[in-house]
Coordinates of all heavy atoms in Angstrom, one line a residue:
M10 N 11.5 -2.0 139.0 CA 11.0 -3.0 138.1 C 11.1 -2.4 136.7 O 10.6 -1.4 136.4 CB 9.5 -3.4 138.4 CG 9.0 -4.5 137.5 SD 7.5 -5.2 138.1 CE 6.5 -3.7 138.3
K11 N 11.8 -3.1 135.8 CA 12.0 -2.7 134.4 C 11.7 -3.8 133.5 O 11.8 -5.0 133.8 CB 13.5 -2.2 134.2 CG 13.9 -1.1 135.1 CD 13.2 0.2 134.9 CE 13.8 1.3 135.7 NZ 13.0 2.5 135.5
F12 N 11.4 -3.4 132.3 CA 11.2 -4.4 131.2 C 12.3 -4.2 130.1 O 12.6 -3.0 129.9 CB 9.8 -4.3 130.6 CG 8.7 -4.8 131.4 CD1 8.0 -4.0 132.3 CD2 8.4 -6.2 131.4 CE1 7.0 -4.5 133.1 CE2 7.4 -6.7 132.2 CZ 6.7 -5.8 133.1
L13 N 12.8 -5.3 129.6 CA 13.8 -5.2 128.6 C 13.3 -5.8 127.3 O 12.8 -6.9 127.3 CB 15.1 -5.9 129.1 CG 16.3 -5.7 128.3 CD1 16.8 -4.2 128.5 CD2 17.4 -6.7 128.8
C14 N 13.5 -5.1 126.2 CA 13.2 -5.7 124.9 C 14.4 -6.6 124.5 O 15.5 -6.2 124.3 CB 13.0 -4.7 123.8 SG 12.7 -5.4 122.2
V15 N 14.2 -7.9 124.5 CA 15.3 -8.9 124.3 C 15.9 -8.7 122.9 O 17.1 -8.7 122.8 CB 14.8 -10.3 124.5 CG1 15.9 -11.3 124.2 CG2 14.2 -10.5 125.9
E16 N 15.1 -8.5 121.9 CA 15.6 -8.4 120.5 C 16.5 -7.2 120.4 O 17.5 -7.2 119.7 CB 14.5 -8.4 119.5 CG 13.8 -9.7 119.4 CD 12.8 -9.7 118.2 OE1 12.9 -8.8 117.4 OE2 12.0 -10.6 118.1
C17 N 16.1 -6.1 121.0 CA 16.9 -4.8 120.8 C 17.9 -4.6 122.0 O 18.7 -3.7 121.9 CB 15.9 -3.6 120.8 SG 14.6 -3.8 119.5
D18 N 17.7 -5.4 123.0 CA 18.6 -5.2 124.2 C 18.4 -3.7 124.7 O 19.4 -3.1 125.1 CB 20.0 -5.5 123.9 CG 20.8 -5.6 125.2 OD1 20.2 -5.9 126.3 OD2 22.0 -5.4 125.2
R19 N 17.2 -3.3 124.7 CA 16.9 -1.9 125.1 C 15.9 -1.9 126.3 O 15.0 -2.7 126.3 CB 16.4 -1.0 124.0 CG 17.4 -0.6 123.0 CD 18.4 0.4 123.5 NE 17.7 1.6 123.9 CZ 17.3 2.6 123.1 NH1 17.6 2.6 121.8 NH2 16.7 3.7 123.6
Q20 N 16.1 -1.0 127.2 CA 15.1 -0.9 128.3 C 13.9 -0.3 127.8 O 13.9 0.8 127.2 CB 15.7 -0.1 129.4 CG 14.8 0.1 130.6 CD 15.5 0.9 131.8 OE1 16.5 0.5 132.2 NE2 14.8 1.9 132.2
M21 N 12.7 -0.9 128.1 CA 11.5 -0.4 127.6 C 11.0 0.8 128.4 O 11.3 0.8 129.6 CB 10.4 -1.5 127.6 CG 10.9 -2.7 126.7 SD 9.6 -3.9 126.5 CE 8.8 -3.4 125.0
Q22 N 10.4 1.7 127.8 CA 10.0 2.9 128.5 C 8.5 2.9 128.9 O 7.7 2.4 128.2 CB 10.2 4.1 127.6 CG 11.7 4.3 127.3 CD 11.9 5.5 126.3 OE1 11.0 6.0 125.7 NE2 13.1 6.0 126.3
F23 N 8.3 3.4 130.1 CA 6.9 3.4 130.6 C 6.0 4.2 129.7 O 6.4 5.3 129.2 CB 6.8 4.0 132.0 CG 5.4 4.2 132.5 CD1 4.7 3.2 133.0 CD2 4.9 5.5 132.5 CE1 3.4 3.4 133.4 CE2 3.6 5.7 132.9 CZ 2.9 4.7 133.4
E24 N 4.8 3.7 129.4 CA 4.0 4.4 128.5 C 2.6 4.8 129.1 O 2.2 5.9 129.0 CB 3.7 3.6 127.2 CG 2.9 4.3 126.2 CD 2.9 3.6 124.9 OE1 3.8 3.8 124.1 OE2 1.9 2.8 124.6
E25 N 2.0 3.8 129.7 CA 0.7 4.1 130.2 C 0.4 3.3 131.5 O 0.8 2.1 131.5 CB -0.4 3.8 129.2 CG -1.8 4.1 129.6 CD -2.8 3.7 128.4 OE1 -2.3 3.3 127.4 OE2 -4.0 3.8 128.7
R26 N -0.3 3.8 132.4 CA -0.8 3.1 133.6 C -2.3 3.2 133.8 O -2.8 4.3 133.6 CB 0.0 3.5 134.8 CG -0.4 2.7 136.1 CD 0.2 3.3 137.3 NE -0.3 4.7 137.6 CZ -0.1 5.4 138.7 NH1 0.6 4.8 139.6 NH2 -0.6 6.6 138.8
Q27 N -2.9 2.2 134.2 CA -4.3 2.2 134.4 C -4.6 1.6 135.8 O -4.2 0.6 136.1 CB -5.1 1.5 133.4 CG -5.0 2.1 132.0 CD -5.8 1.3 131.0 OE1 -6.3 0.2 131.2 NE2 -5.9 1.8 129.8
L28 N -5.3 2.4 136.6 CA -5.8 1.9 137.9 C -7.3 1.9 137.9 O -7.9 2.9 138.3 CB -5.2 2.8 139.1 CG -3.7 2.7 139.4 CD1 -3.3 3.8 140.3 CD2 -3.4 1.3 140.0
P29 N -7.9 0.9 137.5 CA -9.4 0.8 137.3 C -10.1 1.1 138.6 O -11.3 1.4 138.6 CB -9.7 -0.6 136.8 CG -8.3 -1.1 136.3 CD -7.3 -0.4 137.1
G30 N -9.5 0.9 139.8 CA -10.2 1.2 141.0 C -10.7 0.0 141.7 O -11.2 0.0 142.8
D31 N -10.5 -1.2 141.1 CA -11.0 -2.4 141.7 C -9.8 -3.2 142.3 O -9.9 -4.4 142.6 CB -11.7 -3.3 140.7 CG -10.8 -3.6 139.5 OD1 -9.7 -3.2 139.4 OD2 -11.3 -4.4 138.6
G32 N -8.7 -2.5 142.4 CA -7.5 -3.1 143.0 C -6.5 -3.7 142.0 O -5.4 -4.0 142.4
T33 N -6.9 -3.7 140.8 CA -6.0 -4.2 139.7 C -5.2 -3.1 139.2 O -5.5 -1.9 139.4 CB -6.8 -4.9 138.6 OG1 -7.6 -3.9 137.9 CG2 -7.7 -6.0 139.0
L34 N -4.1 -3.5 138.5 CA -3.2 -2.5 138.0 C -2.8 -3.0 136.6 O -2.5 -4.1 136.4 CB -2.0 -2.4 138.9 CG -0.7 -1.6 138.3 CD1 -1.0 -0.2 138.2 CD2 0.5 -1.9 139.1
A35 N -2.8 -2.0 135.6 CA -2.3 -2.3 134.3 C -1.3 -1.3 133.9 O -1.5 -0.1 134.1 CB -3.4 -2.4 133.3
A36 N -0.1 -1.7 133.4 CA 0.9 -0.8 133.0 C 1.5 -1.2 131.7 O 1.7 -2.4 131.5 CB 2.0 -0.6 134.0
A37 N 1.7 -0.3 130.8 CA 2.2 -0.6 129.4 C 3.6 0.0 129.3 O 3.9 1.1 129.8 CB 1.3 -0.1 128.3
F38 N 4.5 -0.7 128.6 CA 5.9 -0.3 128.4 C 6.1 -0.5 126.9 O 5.7 -1.5 126.3 CB 6.9 -1.1 129.2 CG 6.7 -0.9 130.7 CD1 5.7 -1.6 131.4 CD2 7.4 0.0 131.4 CE1 5.5 -1.5 132.7 CE2 7.3 0.1 132.8 CZ 6.3 -0.6 133.4
R39 N 6.8 0.5 126.3 CA 7.1 0.4 124.8 C 8.6 0.4 124.6 O 9.4 1.2 125.3 CB 6.5 1.6 124.1 CG 6.8 1.6 122.6 CD 6.2 2.9 122.0 NE 4.7 2.9 122.1 CZ 3.9 2.4 121.2 NH1 4.4 1.7 120.1 NH2 2.6 2.4 121.3
C40 N 9.1 -0.4 123.7 CA 10.5 -0.4 123.3 C 10.7 0.8 122.4 O 10.1 1.0 121.4 CB 10.8 -1.7 122.5 SG 12.5 -1.6 121.8
P41 N 11.7 1.7 122.7 CA 11.9 2.9 122.0 C 12.6 2.6 120.6 O 12.6 3.5 119.7 CB 12.9 3.7 122.8 CG 13.6 2.7 123.7 CD 12.6 1.6 123.9
T42 N 13.1 1.4 120.4 CA 13.7 1.0 119.2 C 12.8 0.4 118.2 O 12.7 0.9 117.0 CB 14.9 0.1 119.4 OG1 15.8 0.7 120.3 CG2 15.6 -0.3 118.1
C43 N 12.0 -0.6 118.6 CA 11.2 -1.3 117.6 C 9.7 -1.0 117.8 O 8.9 -1.4 117.0 CB 11.4 -2.8 117.7 SG 10.9 -3.6 119.2
G44 N 9.4 -0.4 118.9 CA 8.0 0.0 119.2 C 7.1 -1.1 119.8 O 5.9 -0.9 119.9
R45 N 7.8 -2.2 120.1 CA 7.0 -3.3 120.7 C 6.5 -2.9 122.1 O 7.2 -2.2 122.8 CB 7.9 -4.5 120.8 CG 7.1 -5.7 121.5 CD 8.0 -6.9 121.4 NE 8.4 -7.3 120.0 CZ 9.2 -8.3 119.7 NH1 9.7 -9.0 120.7 NH2 9.4 -8.6 118.5
V46 N 5.2 -3.2 122.4 CA 4.6 -2.9 123.6 C 4.3 -4.1 124.4 O 3.8 -5.1 123.9 CB 3.3 -2.1 123.4 CG1 2.6 -1.8 124.7 CG2 3.6 -0.8 122.6
V47 N 4.6 -4.1 125.7 CA 4.2 -5.1 126.6 C 3.4 -4.5 127.7 O 3.5 -3.3 128.0 CB 5.5 -5.8 127.2 CG1 6.3 -6.5 126.1 CG2 6.3 -4.9 128.0
A48 N 2.5 -5.3 128.3 CA 1.6 -4.8 129.3 C 1.8 -5.7 130.6 O 1.9 -6.9 130.5 CB 0.2 -4.8 128.9
L49 N 1.8 -5.0 131.7 CA 1.8 -5.7 133.0 C 0.4 -5.6 133.6 O -0.1 -4.5 133.7 CB 2.9 -5.0 133.9 CG 2.8 -5.5 135.4 CD1 3.4 -6.9 135.5 CD2 3.7 -4.5 136.2
L50 N -0.1 -6.7 134.0 CA -1.4 -6.7 134.6 C -1.4 -7.5 135.9 O -0.9 -8.6 135.9 CB -2.4 -7.4 133.7 CG -3.9 -7.5 134.2 CD1 -4.5 -6.1 134.4 CD2 -4.7 -8.3 133.3
T51 N -1.8 -6.9 137.0 CA -1.7 -7.6 138.3 C -3.1 -7.6 138.8 O -4.0 -6.8 138.6 CB -0.8 -6.8 139.3 OG1 -1.4 -5.5 139.6 CG2 0.5 -6.6 138.7
N52 N -3.4 -8.7 139.6 CA -4.7 -8.8 140.3 C -4.5 -8.0 141.6 O -3.4 -7.5 142.0 CB -5.0 -10.2 140.6 CG -4.0 -11.0 141.4 OD1 -3.3 -10.4 142.3 ND2 -3.9 -12.3 141.2
P53 N -5.6 -7.8 142.4 CA -5.5 -6.9 143.6 C -4.4 -7.4 144.6 O -3.7 -6.6 145.1 CB -6.9 -7.1 144.2 CG -7.8 -7.3 143.0 CD -7.0 -8.2 142.1
M54 N -4.3 -8.7 144.7 CA -3.2 -9.2 145.7 C -1.9 -8.8 145.2 O -1.0 -8.3 146.0 CB -3.3 -10.7 145.8 CG -2.4 -11.3 146.8 SD -2.6 -13.1 147.0 CE -1.9 -13.7 145.4
E55 N -1.6 -9.0 143.9 CA -0.3 -8.6 143.3 C -0.1 -7.1 143.4 O 1.1 -6.7 143.6 CB -0.2 -9.2 141.9 CG -0.2 -10.7 141.9 CD -0.5 -11.2 140.5 OE1 -1.1 -10.5 139.7 OE2 -0.1 -12.4 140.2
T56 N -1.1 -6.3 143.2 CA -1.0 -4.9 143.2 C -0.5 -4.5 144.6 O 0.4 -3.6 144.8 CB -2.3 -4.2 142.9 OG1 -2.7 -4.6 141.6 CG2 -2.2 -2.7 143.0
Q57 N -1.0 -5.1 145.6 CA -0.6 -4.8 147.0 C 0.8 -5.2 147.2 O 1.6 -4.5 147.9 CB -1.6 -5.5 148.0 CG -2.9 -4.9 148.0 CD -3.8 -5.4 149.1 OE1 -3.5 -6.5 149.7 NE2 -4.8 -4.7 149.5
L58 N 1.2 -6.3 146.7 CA 2.6 -6.8 146.8 C 3.5 -5.8 146.2 O 4.6 -5.5 146.7 CB 2.7 -8.2 146.2 CG 2.1 -9.3 147.0 CD1 2.2 -10.6 146.3 CD2 2.8 -9.5 148.4
V59 N 3.2 -5.4 145.0 CA 4.0 -4.4 144.3 C 4.1 -3.1 145.1 O 5.2 -2.6 145.3 CB 3.5 -4.1 142.9 CG1 4.2 -2.9 142.3 CG2 3.6 -5.3 142.0
A60 N 3.0 -2.7 145.7 CA 3.0 -1.5 146.5 C 3.9 -1.7 147.7 O 4.5 -0.8 148.2 CB 1.6 -1.1 146.9
S61 N 3.8 -2.9 148.3 CA 4.6 -3.1 149.5 C 6.1 -3.1 149.3 O 6.8 -2.8 150.2 CB 4.2 -4.5 150.1 OG 4.8 -5.5 149.3
L62 N 6.5 -3.3 148.1 CA 7.9 -3.2 147.7 C 8.3 -1.8 147.4 O 9.5 -1.5 147.2 CB 8.2 -4.1 146.5 CG 7.9 -5.6 146.7 CD1 8.1 -6.3 145.4 CD2 8.9 -6.2 147.8
G63 N 7.4 -0.9 147.4 CA 7.7 0.5 147.1 C 8.1 0.7 145.7 O 8.8 1.6 145.3
V64 N 7.7 -0.2 144.8 CA 8.0 -0.1 143.4 C 7.3 1.1 142.8 O 6.1 1.3 143.0 CB 7.6 -1.4 142.7 CG1 7.8 -1.2 141.2 CG2 8.4 -2.6 143.2
K65 N 8.0 1.8 142.0 CA 7.5 3.0 141.3 C 7.2 2.5 139.9 O 8.0 2.0 139.2 CB 8.4 4.2 141.3 CG 8.6 4.8 142.7 CD 9.4 6.0 142.6 CE 9.5 6.7 144.0 NZ 10.3 7.9 144.0
I66 N 6.0 2.8 139.5 CA 5.6 2.5 138.1 C 5.2 3.8 137.4 O 4.2 4.5 137.9 CB 4.4 1.5 138.0 CG1 4.9 0.2 138.6 CG2 4.0 1.3 136.6 CD1 3.9 -0.9 138.6
G67 N 5.9 4.2 136.4 CA 5.6 5.5 135.8 C 5.9 6.7 136.6 O 5.3 7.7 136.4
G68 N 6.8 6.5 137.6 CA 7.2 7.6 138.4 C 6.4 7.9 139.6 O 6.6 8.8 140.3
T69 N 5.3 7.1 139.8 CA 4.4 7.3 140.9 C 4.3 6.1 141.8 O 4.1 5.0 141.3 CB 3.0 7.7 140.4 OG1 3.1 8.8 139.6 CG2 2.1 8.0 141.6
T70 N 4.6 6.3 143.0 CA 4.5 5.1 143.9 C 3.1 4.8 144.2 O 2.3 5.7 144.5 CB 5.2 5.4 145.3 OG1 6.6 5.8 145.0 CG2 5.2 4.2 146.2
I71 N 2.7 3.5 144.1 CA 1.4 3.1 144.4 C 1.0 3.3 145.8 O 1.9 3.0 146.7 CB 1.2 1.6 144.0 CG1 1.5 1.4 142.5 CG2 -0.3 1.2 144.2 CD1 1.7 0.0 142.1
D72 N -0.1 3.8 146.1 CA -0.5 4.0 147.5 C -0.4 2.6 148.3 O -0.9 1.6 147.8 CB -2.0 4.5 147.6 CG -2.1 5.9 147.0 OD1 -1.1 6.6 147.0 OD2 -3.2 6.3 146.6
S73 N 0.2 2.7 149.4 CA 0.3 1.5 150.2 C -1.0 1.1 150.8 O -1.9 2.0 151.1 CB 1.3 1.7 151.4 OG 0.9 2.8 152.2
Q74 N -1.2 -0.2 151.0 CA -2.5 -0.7 151.5 C -2.2 -1.7 152.6 O -1.1 -2.3 152.6 CB -3.3 -1.3 150.4 CG -3.6 -0.4 149.2 CD -4.3 -1.1 148.1 OE1 -5.3 -1.7 148.3 NE2 -3.8 -0.9 146.9
P75 N -3.2 -1.9 153.5 CA -3.0 -3.0 154.5 C -2.6 -4.3 153.9 O -3.2 -4.7 152.9 CB -4.3 -3.0 155.2 CG -5.0 -1.7 154.9 CD -4.5 -1.3 153.5
L76 N -1.7 -5.0 154.5 CA -1.2 -6.2 153.9 C -1.4 -7.4 154.7 O -0.9 -8.5 154.4 CB 0.3 -6.1 153.6 CG 0.7 -5.0 152.5 CD1 2.2 -4.8 152.5 CD2 0.2 -5.5 151.2
E77 N -2.1 -7.3 155.9 CA -2.3 -8.4 156.8 C -2.9 -9.6 156.0 O -2.4 -10.7 156.1 CB -3.1 -8.0 157.9 CG -2.5 -7.1 158.9 CD -1.2 -7.6 159.5 OE1 -1.2 -8.9 159.8 OE2 -0.3 -6.9 159.7
T78 N -4.0 -9.3 155.3 CA -4.6 -10.4 154.5 C -3.7 -11.0 153.5 O -3.7 -12.2 153.3 CB -5.9 -9.9 153.9 OG1 -6.7 -9.3 154.9 CG2 -6.7 -11.0 153.2
V79 N -3.0 -10.2 152.8 CA -2.1 -10.6 151.7 C -1.1 -11.6 152.3 O -0.8 -12.6 151.7 CB -1.4 -9.4 151.0 CG1 -0.4 -9.9 150.0 CG2 -2.5 -8.5 150.4
R80 N -0.5 -11.2 153.4 CA 0.6 -12.1 153.9 C 0.0 -13.5 154.2 O 0.7 -14.5 153.9 CB 1.1 -11.5 155.2 CG 1.9 -10.2 155.0 CD 2.8 -9.9 156.3 NE 3.5 -8.6 156.1 CZ 3.1 -7.5 156.6 NH1 1.9 -7.5 157.3 NH2 3.8 -6.4 156.4
G81 N -1.2 -13.6 154.7 CA -1.8 -14.9 155.0 C -2.0 -15.7 153.7 O -1.9 -16.9 153.7
M82 N -2.4 -15.0 152.7 CA -2.7 -15.7 151.4 C -1.4 -16.1 150.7 O -1.4 -17.2 150.1 CB -3.5 -14.8 150.5 CG -4.9 -14.4 151.1 SD -5.6 -13.0 150.2 CE -5.8 -13.7 148.6
V83 N -0.4 -15.3 150.8 CA 0.9 -15.7 150.1 C 1.5 -17.0 150.6 O 2.0 -17.7 149.9 CB 1.9 -14.5 150.2 CG1 3.3 -14.9 149.8 CG2 1.4 -13.3 149.5
T84 N 1.4 -17.2 151.9 CA 2.0 -18.4 152.5 C 1.4 -19.7 151.9 O 2.1 -20.7 151.8 CB 1.9 -18.4 154.0 OG1 0.5 -18.3 154.3 CG2 2.6 -17.2 154.6
T85 N 0.1 -19.6 151.6 CA -0.5 -20.8 151.0 C -0.5 -20.8 149.5 O -0.5 -21.9 148.9 CB -2.0 -20.9 151.5 OG1 -2.7 -19.7 151.2 CG2 -2.0 -21.1 153.1
G86 N -0.5 -19.7 148.9 CA -0.6 -19.7 147.5 C -2.0 -19.9 147.0 O -2.8 -20.6 147.6
R87 N -2.3 -19.4 145.8 CA -3.6 -19.7 145.2 C -3.5 -20.0 143.8 O -2.8 -19.3 143.0 CB -4.5 -18.4 145.4 CG -4.8 -18.2 146.9 CD -5.7 -16.9 147.0 NE -6.8 -16.9 146.1 CZ -7.6 -15.9 145.8 NH1 -7.2 -14.7 146.3 NH2 -8.6 -16.0 145.1
D88 N -4.1 -21.0 143.3 CA -4.1 -21.3 141.9 C -5.2 -20.5 141.1 O -5.1 -20.4 139.9 CB -4.4 -22.8 141.7 CG -3.3 -23.7 142.3 OD1 -2.2 -23.2 142.3 OD2 -3.6 -24.8 142.6
D89 N -6.1 -20.0 141.8 CA -7.2 -19.2 141.2 C -7.0 -17.7 141.3 O -8.0 -17.0 141.4 CB -8.6 -19.7 141.7 CG -8.7 -19.4 143.2 OD1 -7.6 -19.2 143.8 OD2 -9.8 -19.4 143.7
A90 N -5.8 -17.3 141.4 CA -5.5 -15.9 141.6 C -6.1 -15.0 140.5 O -6.6 -14.0 140.7 CB -4.0 -15.6 141.7
F91 N -6.1 -15.6 139.3 CA -6.7 -14.9 138.2 C -8.1 -15.6 137.9 O -8.2 -16.7 137.4 CB -5.8 -15.0 136.9 CG -4.7 -14.0 136.9 CD1 -3.5 -14.3 137.5 CD2 -4.9 -12.8 136.2 CE1 -2.5 -13.4 137.4 CE2 -3.9 -11.9 136.2 CZ -2.7 -12.2 136.8
E92 N -9.1 -14.9 138.4 CA -10.4 -15.5 138.3 C -11.2 -15.1 137.1 O -12.3 -15.5 136.9 CB -11.2 -15.1 139.6 CG -10.5 -15.6 140.8 CD -11.2 -15.1 142.1 OE1 -12.1 -14.3 141.9 OE2 -10.9 -15.7 143.2
D93 N -10.6 -14.3 136.2 CA -11.3 -13.9 135.0 C -11.2 -14.9 133.9 O -11.8 -14.7 132.8 CB -10.8 -12.5 134.6 CG -9.3 -12.5 134.3 OD1 -8.7 -13.6 134.3 OD2 -8.8 -11.4 134.0
G94 N -10.4 -15.9 134.1 CA -10.3 -17.0 133.1 C -9.5 -16.7 131.9 O -9.4 -17.4 131.0
K95 N -8.7 -15.6 132.0 CA -8.0 -15.2 130.8 C -6.5 -15.7 130.9 O -5.7 -15.5 130.0 CB -7.9 -13.7 130.7 CG -9.3 -13.1 130.3 CD -9.2 -11.6 130.2 CE -10.5 -11.0 129.9 NZ -10.5 -9.5 130.0
G96 N -6.2 -16.4 132.0 CA -4.9 -17.0 132.1 C -3.9 -16.0 132.7 O -4.3 -14.8 132.9
P97 N -2.7 -16.4 132.8 CA -1.7 -15.5 133.5 C -1.1 -14.5 132.6 O -0.4 -13.6 133.0 CB -0.6 -16.6 133.9 CG -0.7 -17.7 132.9 CD -2.2 -17.7 132.5
L98 N -1.3 -14.6 131.3 CA -0.6 -13.6 130.4 C -1.4 -12.3 130.3 O -2.6 -12.3 130.2 CB -0.6 -14.2 128.9 CG 0.3 -15.4 128.8 CD1 0.2 -15.9 127.4 CD2 1.7 -15.1 129.2
P99 N -0.7 -11.2 130.5 CA -1.3 -9.9 130.4 C -1.8 -9.6 129.0 O -1.1 -10.0 128.0 CB -0.2 -8.9 130.9 CG 1.1 -9.6 130.5 CD 0.8 -11.1 130.7
A100 N -2.9 -9.0 128.9 CA -3.4 -8.7 127.6 C -4.4 -7.4 127.6 O -5.1 -7.3 128.6 CB -4.2 -9.8 127.0
W101 N -4.2 -6.6 126.6 CA -5.2 -5.5 126.5 C -6.4 -6.0 125.9 O -6.4 -6.9 125.1 CB -4.5 -4.4 125.7 CG -3.4 -3.8 126.3 CD1 -2.1 -4.0 126.0 CD2 -3.3 -2.8 127.3 NE1 -1.2 -3.3 126.8 CE2 -2.0 -2.5 127.6 CE3 -4.3 -2.1 128.0 CZ2 -1.6 -1.6 128.6 CZ3 -4.0 -1.2 129.0 CH2 -2.6 -0.9 129.2
S102 N -7.5 -5.3 126.2 CA -8.8 -5.7 125.6 C -8.7 -5.2 124.1 O -7.9 -4.4 123.7 CB -9.9 -5.0 126.3 OG -9.8 -3.6 126.1
R103 N -9.6 -5.8 123.3 CA -9.7 -5.3 121.9 C -9.9 -3.8 121.8 O -9.3 -3.2 121.0 CB -10.8 -6.1 121.2 CG -11.1 -5.6 119.8 CD -12.3 -6.3 119.2 NE -11.9 -7.7 118.9 CZ -11.4 -8.0 117.7 NH1 -11.2 -7.1 116.8 NH2 -11.1 -9.3 117.4
E104 N -10.8 -3.3 122.7 CA -11.1 -1.9 122.7 C -9.9 -1.1 122.9 O -9.6 -0.1 122.3 CB -12.2 -1.6 123.7 CG -13.6 -2.1 123.3 CD -13.7 -3.6 123.5 OE1 -12.8 -4.2 124.2 OE2 -14.7 -4.2 123.0
A105 N -9.1 -1.6 123.9 CA -7.9 -0.8 124.3 C -6.9 -0.8 123.1 O -6.2 0.2 122.9 CB -7.3 -1.5 125.5
Q106 N -6.7 -2.0 122.5 CA -5.8 -2.1 121.4 C -6.2 -1.2 120.2 O -5.3 -0.5 119.7 CB -5.7 -3.5 120.9 CG -4.9 -4.4 121.9 CD -4.8 -5.8 121.4 OE1 -5.7 -6.3 120.6 NE2 -3.8 -6.5 121.7
E107 N -7.4 -1.2 119.9 CA -7.9 -0.3 118.8 C -7.7 1.1 119.1 O -7.3 1.9 118.3 CB -9.4 -0.6 118.5 CG -9.6 -2.0 117.9 CD -11.0 -2.3 117.7 OE1 -11.9 -1.6 118.2 OE2 -11.3 -3.3 117.0
R108 N -8.0 1.5 120.4 CA -7.9 2.9 120.8 C -6.4 3.3 120.7 O -6.1 4.4 120.3 CB -8.4 3.0 122.2 CG -8.5 4.5 122.7 CD -8.8 4.6 124.1 NE -7.7 4.3 125.0 CZ -7.7 3.5 126.0 NH1 -8.8 2.9 126.3 NH2 -6.7 3.2 126.7
R109 N -5.5 2.4 121.0 CA -4.1 2.7 121.1 C -3.5 2.9 119.7 O -2.5 3.5 119.5 CB -3.3 1.7 121.8 CG -3.7 1.6 123.3 CD -3.2 0.3 124.0 NE -1.8 0.2 123.9 CZ -0.9 0.8 124.6 NH1 -1.4 1.6 125.6 NH2 0.3 0.7 124.5
L110 N -4.1 2.3 118.7 CA -3.6 2.4 117.3 C -4.0 3.7 116.7 O -3.4 4.1 115.7 CB -4.2 1.2 116.5 CG -3.6 -0.2 116.9 CD1 -4.3 -1.3 116.1 CD2 -2.1 -0.2 116.7
V111 N -5.0 4.3 117.2 CA -5.5 5.6 116.6 C -4.6 6.7 117.2 O -4.5 6.9 118.4 CB -7.0 5.8 117.0 CG1 -7.4 7.2 116.4 CG2 -7.8 4.7 116.4
P112 N -4.0 7.5 116.3 CA -3.2 8.6 116.8 C -3.9 9.6 117.6 O -5.1 9.8 117.3 CB -2.7 9.3 115.4 CG -2.9 8.3 114.4 CD -4.1 7.4 114.9
Ligands
ZN226 ZN1 12.7 -3.6 120.7

């Protein structure tokens, strides 16, 4: 899984990964040319799906987890997969953004 900076046509480089421990996953990628940063945020179900694909993020494979429940949920789909109300777009918290701006 890679991210591409459309404007620069450059592959973005992995910068930071966070595993809060509640099953969610956050990963940041930065464009080496313009410095633009994008973040990937998955809910627990998506984190397991990513792990099931053997996808490496930041050079480390996510620990595999039981997927029986996930398979059952995927077939039906869920509209409320993101229950935090922030919508489908990944976003860093204000605290995280401010922290990242400080050298
Ligand atoms: Zn760029």
Side-chain angles (χ1 to χ4, degrees):
M10 183 164 57
K11 302 292 184 183
F12 286 94
L13 190 71
C14 180
V15 176
E16 289 190 15
C17 304
D18 194 26
R19 286 287 302 272
Q20 181 176 306
M21 301 185 94
Q22 297 178 340
F23 171 80
E24 181 169 278
E25 181 180 358
R26 181 186 64 167
Q27 296 180 349
L28 287 170
D31 59 358
T33 62
L34 166 71
F38 298 81
R39 179 185 295 274
C40 172
T42 302
C43 69
R45 179 173 300 176
V46 177
V47 297
L49 169 72
L50 177 64
T51 66
N52 62 29
M54 183 176 71
E55 293 163 338
T56 301
Q57 290 188 340
L58 288 173
V59 171
S61 72
L62 297 174
V64 172
K65 292 184 177 182
I66 296 179
T69 303
T70 303
I71 303 168
D72 292 338
S73 61
Q74 301 177 49
L76 293 170
E77 291 298 326
T78 304
V79 175
R80 291 197 183 97
M82 294 165 66
V83 168
T84 55
T85 55
R87 291 178 55 194
D88 293 333
D89 60 343
F91 279 85
E92 297 176 350
D93 58 5
K95 293 177 181 175
L98 295 177
W101 292 100
S102 66
R103 171 182 289 271
E104 290 75 13
Q106 288 182 329
E107 290 177 349
R108 189 184 75 229
R109 294 164 59 80
L110 291 175
V111 178

